[in-house]
Amino acid sequence: MTDMRAALYDRFGAPDVLYVGAVPAPEITSDQVLVRVRTTSVNGGELTARAGKMRLVTGRRFPQRLGIDFVGEVTEVGSSVTGIAAGRRVWGVLGRSFGAAADYVAVHPRKIAPAPANLSDAEAVSLLAGGTTAMTALRDKARLQPGERLLVRGGSGGVGSVAVQIGALLGARVTALAGAGNLDFVRDLGAAEALDHRTHRPSDLGRYDVVLDTVGTEQRAYRRLLAPGGRMVAIAFDIDRIGASLGYIAGSVVHGAQRVRFFSGNPTTSQLVELARHAEAGSIRPVVDTVRPFDEIADAHRALEAGGVRGKHVLRLT
């Protein structure tokens, strides 16, 4: 095996810059496994990177890669790896790097776990990055408690659709902001209240113990909605005002408990195992918006940019 397919782009720009091309297949080290990727999904950070708004992080060397999550089959195991055999169906998240949108990915065992047996490959990958991010944000960062009031911005998206479910699972009263066409959808996921984000401004809303921000704009206005002892967790920043947005997040530490907690997901095997357990129990369900063949990745990016998404846009490689 020498070459494989991968999603690539040779310049920053609109979805039209994307293509599926040939790159060298990865060679694993002794402490890695090789996974044949069956499905991956499109995440918001990839749109930002492709547009060139994260070039200080991604650099300017081309071609650049895409994809952070994957479901597939282990095909090769490093000599020092134990407890994993070729042929196992797994899911995983690369964390803070791209490259999962390809036929094969080389990963450390701590980045993968057995995929939920009751979910298809498309269903499983739709739950992965959003599920681990929402679980970390609400349980570990915000320490959401039963009976607390939770506001989820972007309640129908890849992270928000799982956050609504996890919030309800943890016993919170969930309010979700979403587009008008998705209000019944987020109520069905477990939101006690669903509001149109276009007609309900922050000043129209009440007080919340926890605010989960998956959008990144107007963070100052949404932080003002926190009740005494409230916590705000952000997984996004304003991509059109990156310096000001990140500066506000960093400066919010002066507000003590009401600072904006920002993090980038980097899940471990234990988190993947826990998420799989919830999926197999039916307490968290996947939400698939569309499933497309791999060579339609540009269409998937266009669809996510158009908004109104319900869950995830999935790409199928096999």
Side-chain angles (χ1 to χ4, degrees):
M1 182 173 63
T2 55
D3 287 343
M4 67 174 183
R5 297 176 301 162
L8 306 167
Y9 56 101
D10 294 327
R11 66 186 189 280
F12 298 123
D16 293 343
V17 304
L18 299 176
Y19 66 97
V20 175
V23 300
E27 295 183 3
I28 62 170
T29 59
S30 63
D31 60 347
Q32 291 182 315
V33 300
L34 188 68
V35 176
R36 175 73 163 97
V37 178
R38 295 176 179 171
T39 54
T40 185
S41 76
V42 179
N43 295 275
E46 297 171 70
L47 273 60
T48 306
R50 186 213 69 228
K53 295 180 178 180
M54 293 176 60
R55 64 189 70 187
L56 291 178
V57 177
T58 63
R60 298 171 180 267
R61 178 177 293 181
F62 295 102
Q64 295 200 16
R65 302 277 297 274
L66 292 165
I68 64 170
D69 50 17
F70 58 91
V71 174
E73 180 181 337
V74 175
T75 60
E76 187 178 348
V77 180
S79 59
S80 65
V81 175
T82 60
I84 300 177
R88 174 174 291 183
R89 179 174 176 259
V90 297
W91 67 350
V93 179
L94 294 184
R96 300 185 179 95
S97 62
F98 296 130
D103 283 324
Y104 291 89
V105 61
V107 294
H108 289 277
R110 65 177 178 273
K111 293 291 184 183
I112 61 173
N118 63 324
L119 300 185
S120 69
D121 294 337
E123 290 171 332
V125 83
S126 76
L127 188 58
L128 251 177
T132 53
T133 298
M135 192 161 53
T136 300
L138 296 180
R139 187 194 59 190
D140 301 335
K141 300 294 183 180
R143 298 184 180 179
L144 183 66
Q145 300 298 310
E148 290 193 314
R149 296 155 295 176
L150 166 67
L151 176 67
V152 178
R153 295 189 70 196
S156 67
V159 177
S161 61
V162 190
V164 169
Q165 297 181 67
I166 292 176
L169 184 65
L170 293 174
R173 187 183 191 280
V174 182
T175 296
L177 292 175
N182 286 329
L183 299 184
D184 287 340
F185 167 68
V186 294
R187 289 189 190 99
D188 186 56
L189 292 176
E193 184 177 38
L195 302 175
D196 184 350
H197 69 86
R198 294 182 180 87
T199 59
H200 289 79
R201 306 303 304 150
S203 58
D204 301 325
L205 304 175
R207 296 289 179 179
Y208 299 92
D209 301 294
V210 174
V211 173
L212 175 61
D213 179 20
T214 74
V215 180
T217 59
E218 300 182 274
Q219 288 172 332
R220 188 185 304 272
Y222 281 95
R223 190 187 62 79
R224 292 193 184 109
L225 302 181
L226 293 176
R231 294 86 70 200
M232 180 170 172
V233 181
I235 64 162
F237 50 83
D238 189 340
I239 60 174
D240 294 320
R241 301 173 62 248
I242 292 178
S245 182
L246 292 178
Y248 175 70
I249 291 171
S252 72
V253 70
V254 300
H255 297 287
Q258 291 190 326
R259 71 183 187 277
V260 180
R261 297 160 173 83
F262 179 80
F263 77 100
S264 177
N266 192 23
T268 61
T269 293
S270 61
Q271 291 172 306
L272 297 171
V273 168
E274 182 177 2
L275 184 61
R277 186 168 61 248
H278 283 299
E280 291 174 341
S283 53
I284 299 175
R285 72 176 194 257
V287 183
V288 179
D289 191 302
T290 62
V291 181
R292 291 179 169 85
F294 190 33
D295 59 3
E296 294 181 10
I297 184 170
D299 290 333
H301 274 237
R302 291 188 194 98
L304 185 56
E305 285 186 338
V309 63
R310 291 188 176 186
K312 279 301 192 71
H313 293 290
V314 175
L315 297 168
R316 184 179 297 280
L317 285 84
T318 60

